[in-house]
């Protein structure tokens, strides 16, 4: 009986070992087949769907003929991932975490963008330019639709301030510019015998371009800088806020009078400077080149038309308004104490000079397009 039991146990052990060996060989064969299928799926461009299904995702992008092959590939990947004992859970978790990270990328990008937008501040130049544009629109609307709100007392004070402070520099500059152009014209035109046309060309040059542009540049440097510094100081010392608290609109009290004063004063300065530059040219041509004053005056009267003086006046009005608006806009948006006042003053002059030439081009294109 004992030998029979021993034989039975040996036979049972042999059967178990044989069964285990058969199972192991079957599993190895299944792994090889599965790996071959996975390689085929990878080579066919479906590795991403296989990995997504292996990680539990839903990648049902294609339907139809490729459904069965994708499913078999996914099953194969699952078998491969689960056939290595302890490595099964690690591979599955690694793949799952990879796709979770990829899926979280849009959310992270959105959160980063939202944070940046909430904390982003536009450059000073952009928002100050926008504020100046809005100020120009507000001034224009109030002057045209609400003329009763204009403070004429302040306007007259600003005119009395702007005119005398700018007149001397304008006359001096116009005189020397006129003499410089007289030297060039007389020297070159005398070679070709066109002395009779010198006065007309000088008159056209002065009336159409030189006089309004030169006077506008002087106004921007002399008055525009002063306006920007004055309003900038009032802004940083909270005087503008005090006006608002007292019930006075800063635009009506500070901005509109300066805009009107510059728009009125600059045309007057241009007319006086035009006469001064022409007189300086006549004097130099007579004393230096022997050209009679009557020749220059007759030539200027022949070439010049009343519309030329009208164009000069229109340009002067536009230049004066632009200079005043830019100076007031940069002054009322000043921040940062004394340093900010200096920066606003410098920026207002530079931008005013640039705007003068831009407006001059636009107006010349309108007036002289024919």
């Amino acid at each position: 009986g004992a030998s029979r039991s021993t034989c039975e146990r040996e036979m049972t052990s042999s059967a178990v070992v044989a069964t285990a060996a058969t199972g192991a060989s079957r599993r190895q064969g299944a792994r090889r087949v599965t790996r071959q299928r996975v390689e085929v799926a990878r080579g066919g461009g479906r590795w991403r769907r296989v990995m997504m299904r292996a990680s539990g995702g839903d990648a049902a992008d294609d339907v139809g003929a490729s459904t069965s092959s994708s499913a078999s590939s996914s099953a194969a990947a699952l078998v491969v991932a689960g056939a290595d004992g302890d490595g099964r859970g690690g591979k599955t978790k690694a793949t799952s975490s990879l796709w979770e990270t990829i899926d979280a990328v849009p959310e992270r990008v959105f959160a980063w963008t939202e944070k940046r937008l909430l904390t982003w501040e536009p450059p000073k130049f952009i928002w100050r330019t926008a504020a100046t544009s809005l100020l120009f629109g507000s001034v224009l609307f109030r002057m045209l639709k609400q003329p009763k709100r204009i403070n004429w007392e302040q306007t007259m004070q600003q005119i009395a301030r702007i005119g005398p402070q700018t007149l001397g520099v304008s006359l001096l500059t116009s005189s020397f510019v006129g003499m410089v152009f007289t030297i060039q014209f007389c020297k070159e035109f005398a070679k070709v015998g066109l002395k009779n046309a010198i006065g007309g060309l000088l008159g056209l040059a002065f009336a159409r371009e030189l006089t309004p542009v030169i006077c506008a540049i002087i106004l921007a440097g002399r008055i525009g800088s002063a306006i920007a510094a004055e309003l900038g100081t009032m802004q940083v010392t909270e005087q503008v806020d005090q006006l608002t608290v007292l019930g006075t609109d800063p635009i009506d009290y500070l901005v509109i009078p300066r805009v009107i004063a510059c728009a009125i004063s600059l045309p007057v300065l241009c007319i006086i400077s035009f006469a001064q530059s022409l007189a300086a040219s006549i004097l130099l041509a007579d004393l230096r080149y022997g050209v009679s004053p009557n020749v220059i005056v007759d030539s200027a009267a022949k070439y010049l038309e009343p519309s030329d003086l009208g164009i000069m006046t229109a340009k002067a009005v536009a230049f004066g308004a632009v200079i005043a608006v830019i100076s007031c806009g940069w002054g009322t948006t000043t921040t940062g104490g004394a340093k900010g006042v200096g920066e606003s003053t410098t920026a207002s002059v530079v931008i005013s000079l640039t705007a003068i030439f831009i407006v001059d081009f636009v107006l010349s294109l309108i007036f002289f397009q024919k």
Side-chain angles (χ1 to χ4, degrees), residues 19-353:
T19 303
T22 304
S25 61
R26 289 178 180 177
R27 286 195 295 274
Q28 291 178 356
R31 289 196 200 100
R32 287 194 297 269
V33 173
T34 303
R35 288 194 180 94
Q36 292 175 358
R37 292 179 179 178
V38 169
E39 292 296 333
V40 171
R42 181 187 299 175
R46 291 187 291 271
W47 176 248
R48 181 176 181 274
R49 291 193 296 272
V50 170
M51 295 302 295
M52 288 186 66
R53 288 194 174 91
S55 61
D58 185 10
D61 295 330
D62 300 328
V63 293
S66 62
T67 303
S68 59
S69 61
S70 300
S72 61
S73 300
S74 302
L78 284 171
V79 173
V80 172
D84 294 331
D86 294 337
R88 177 184 59 184
K91 291 183 179 180
T92 304
K93 291 179 179 180
T95 307
S96 178
S97 62
L98 173 62
W99 288 109
E100 288 177 358
T101 303
I102 295 175
D103 293 337
V105 168
E107 297 180 359
R108 294 179 180 178
V109 172
F110 177 77
W112 180 85
T113 306
E114 183 179 11
K115 181 180 178 181
R116 289 290 183 178
L117 290 176
L118 292 177
T119 58
W120 179 75
E121 294 183 359
K124 285 186 177 181
F125 178 79
I126 295 177
W127 69 264
R128 295 183 81 173
T129 303
T132 304
S133 302
L134 294 176
L135 179 65
F136 177 74
S138 178
V139 169
L140 189 63
F141 175 79
R142 297 187 187 195
M143 290 175 59
L144 297 178
K145 297 294 184 179
Q146 301 172 350
K148 295 182 179 181
R149 301 181 62 173
I150 299 175
N151 191 329
W152 291 108
E153 182 180 357
Q154 283 289 324
T155 303
M156 297 306 297
Q157 291 179 6
Q158 293 299 322
I159 292 174
R161 170 195 173 191
I162 292 172
Q165 291 184 1
T166 315
L167 181 60
V169 183
S170 299
L171 293 177
L172 184 63
T173 306
S174 299
S175 300
F176 281 97
V177 170
M179 288 188 288
V180 168
F181 274 81
T182 302
I183 292 172
Q184 299 296 330
F185 286 178
C186 289
K187 181 181 177 181
E188 299 300 328
F189 280 37
K191 296 179 181 179
V192 295
L194 293 176
K195 288 185 178 182
N196 294 333
I198 293 175
L201 294 178
L202 287 173
L204 290 176
F206 292 150
R208 292 183 176 182
E209 293 296 334
L210 293 177
T211 301
V213 171
I214 291 172
C215 291
I217 292 174
I218 295 172
L219 185 71
R222 182 67 183 87
I223 301 300
S225 59
I227 292 174
E230 182 182 4
L231 297 185
T233 304
M234 294 180 66
Q235 179 67 28
V236 298
T237 56
E238 299 181 354
Q239 296 182 41
V240 178
D241 298 334
Q242 294 175 9
L243 288 175
T244 305
V245 171
L246 294 174
T248 302
D249 194 332
I251 297 178
D252 295 338
Y253 188 78
L254 298 175
V255 178
I256 293 180
R258 287 168 171 80
V259 173
I260 296 176
C262 290
I264 293 176
S265 300
L266 190 56
V268 177
L269 291 172
C270 286
I271 293 173
I272 298 174
S273 298
F274 170 74
Q276 177 66 21
S277 60
L278 199 59
S281 299
I282 292 172
L283 180 63
L284 182 63
D286 186 22
L287 297 178
R288 179 68 176 83
Y289 296 98
V291 180
S292 175
N294 294 329
V295 174
I296 295 180
V297 172
D298 293 340
S299 177
K302 179 181 178 181
Y303 283 90
L304 283 175
E305 297 179 359
S307 61
D308 295 323
L309 298 179
I311 291 172
M312 180 181 67
T313 304
K315 285 188 175 183
V317 172
F319 294 161
V322 168
I323 292 169
V325 169
I326 292 175
S327 301
C328 292
W330 248 251
T332 54
T333 56
T334 301
T335 56
K339 181 181 178 181
V341 173
E343 292 176 352
S344 297
T345 304
T346 305
S348 66
V349 174
V350 174
I351 296 173
S352 297
L353 295 178

